[in-house]
Amino acid sequence: MIITSGTASEVLGIKVAREMKLLKSKMEIKRFPDGEKYVRVLDSVEGEEVAVIQSFYRTPDEFLFEYFLIVDALRGSNAKRIVAVFPYFAYARQDERFKPGEALSLESVIKLIESVGTDEVYTIDMHLHRVSDIGKAFNVPAYNLTAIPEIAKYIKKNIELKDPVVLGPDEESEQWAKVAAKQLDSRYDILEKKRLSAEQIEIKPRSLDVKGKDVVLIDDMISTGGTLAEAIKIIRKEGARSVVAACSHAVLVENAYTRIFEAGADYLVSTDTVPSPVSYVSVAGLIADALTKRLAQRKRD
Ligand code: R5P
């Protein structure tokens, strides 16, 4: 197997290749003066299985389109098999037509990814709500990995927590709160969230007992920071001793980073699925393990 990446995940690509002791194939990716992208594979990939690592953060359309060109370049250079690794997978929100006339973005993006010649897909803590199994959404084999145990291990090792309790800001986050709580040997609970618009949400406390506790607040992603900031304010009001905010994908648009601390967080911890000032936990090992296990399994089959 050969590892390569698009411009969204260059450093992560290097780390995965290093973990797996594999070659990281070089790409020339630039723009024509009119803004069009240009992609060229610089190493031989003939007859090889190639894992392409590319996240879809902040400018998802650009990184997605770049992925299509990378696959075309690899296929044109006779790569045998393409394994896509999308550490942060955008376009998962619109997995239904909520209002008449809306695009069903998730389905369209999946169709495009498959149609360019992707043989297998890996994502990490994908924003799966109504679609619970990514394997059912794709026609090619697709797997959703989780970085939550690694995040929880990092928190346990690096932050002093006396009496931790894990909280998720909404119903969907229960899956991640449960996993983090197991790792931290603590209880977990969730808050009640109502989304009023893409920017506005309302969070209500449940029967919370966080007085004097070190709260670890966990979610899949921080975009505007609205969800976690509201949750942090409530937790602080209820008398928490400290608050660690954590997520897999620190998308952090606009002033989200400041917003989290202004709301009362003591720490913010995330991974490098999206490069950010709080990407303390690398998902390189997680990706390398998954690819290695799959390679071994395919050899056995
Ligand atoms: C929502 O269901 C997600 O799990 C996150 O809570 C949400 O996407 C975070 O977005 P924001 O930071 O803009 O509130």
Side-chain angles (χ1 to χ4, degrees):
M1 176 177 264
I2 288 178
I3 307 292
T4 194
S5 69
T7 54
S9 302
E10 260 167 336
V11 175
L12 184 55
I14 293 168
K15 288 184 182 171
V16 173
R18 203 172 280 158
E19 288 266 346
M20 296 179 77
K21 299 189 174 55
L22 293 175
L23 173 79
K24 162 104 166 33
S25 162
K26 288 195 185 59
M27 292 271 165
E28 184 183 358
I29 302 179
K30 60 183 186 185
R31 281 192 190 277
F32 286 107
D34 62 358
E36 282 178 18
K37 274 250 162 118
Y38 168 93
V39 171
R40 183 173 171 224
V41 181
L42 296 177
D43 296 302
S44 168
V45 292
E46 175 131 23
E48 297 281 354
E49 175 164 16
V50 185
V52 184
I53 303 173
Q54 176 81 322
S55 252
F56 301 146
Y57 55 89
R58 292 187 204 127
T59 50
D61 305 354
E62 179 195 342
F63 291 143
L64 187 59
F65 198 76
E66 197 181 280
Y67 170 76
F68 298 150
L69 297 184
I70 292 171
V71 176
D72 184 72
L74 291 169
R75 286 283 183 208
S77 306
N78 298 322
K80 184 177 74 182
R81 209 168 172 270
I82 307 291
V83 178
V85 181
F86 303 128
Y88 171 62
F89 190 103
Y91 283 107
R93 276 196 184 87
Q94 198 67 27
D95 58 0
E96 240 181 66
R97 297 187 206 275
F98 302 99
K99 292 185 203 150
E102 283 182 344
L104 189 47
S105 314
L106 178 63
E107 201 180 279
S108 298
V109 167
I110 288 176
K111 270 189 211 156
L112 288 167
I113 289 170
E114 288 177 341
S115 69
V116 292
T118 308
D119 295 296
E120 194 167 313
V121 173
Y122 290 83
T123 61
I124 297 176
D125 293 317
M126 189 170 154
H127 195 75
L128 293 170
H129 283 185
R130 287 143 296 262
V131 179
S132 59
D133 181 359
I134 182 195
K136 290 193 182 126
F138 278 87
N139 287 308
V140 295
Y143 309 94
N144 186 36
L145 311 173
T146 181
I148 302 296
E150 288 309 311
I151 296 173
K153 273 187 216 159
Y154 175 90
I155 294 172
K156 197 171 183 176
K157 191 168 166 212
N158 295 285
I159 303 174
E160 203 194 326
L161 302 173
K162 251 200 202 145
D163 190 6
V165 52
V166 177
L167 287 182
D170 53 22
E171 218 177 290
E172 291 85 21
S173 58
E174 184 165 1
Q175 51 187 311
W176 303 300
K178 198 172 170 180
V179 174
K182 193 171 172 218
Q183 203 66 244
L184 293 167
D185 268 328
S186 70
R187 289 181 303 113
Y188 73 91
D189 200 352
I190 53 164
L191 302 171
E192 275 171 23
K193 176 170 103 175
K194 195 169 150 200
R195 186 164 280 286
L196 308 172
S197 71
E199 291 81 24
Q200 262 195 312
I201 46 125
E202 188 181 274
I203 292 195
K204 287 192 192 141
R206 298 208 316 182
S207 53
L208 277 187
D209 178 18
V210 294
K211 204 171 168 60
K213 302 264 192 294
D214 294 316
V215 176
V216 176
L217 187 58
I218 199 131
D219 208 354
D220 59 339
M221 69 157 118
I222 301 177
S223 175
T224 65
T227 302
L228 285 203
E230 285 311 303
I232 293 164
K233 284 182 203 159
I234 289 170
I235 293 163
R236 282 292 185 195
K237 218 163 125 194
E238 301 282 322
R241 193 176 84 109
S242 71
V243 181
V244 180
C247 67
S248 300
H249 314 296
V251 180
L252 299 178
V253 301
E254 293 159 11
N255 62 344
Y257 184 46
T258 323
R259 205 171 170 188
I260 297 293
F261 285 96
E262 260 172 9
D266 297 291
Y267 303 92
L268 178 53
V269 176
S270 191
T271 77
D272 54 357
T273 60
V274 178
S276 81
V278 291
S279 296
Y280 302 120
V281 181
S282 181
V283 292
L286 182 68
I287 296 171
D289 270 6
L291 294 178
T292 307
K293 278 187 193 140
R294 186 78 176 121
L295 274 176
Q297 188 198 345
R298 290 204 9 255
K299 254 189 204 158
R300 281 196 305 270
D301 293 346

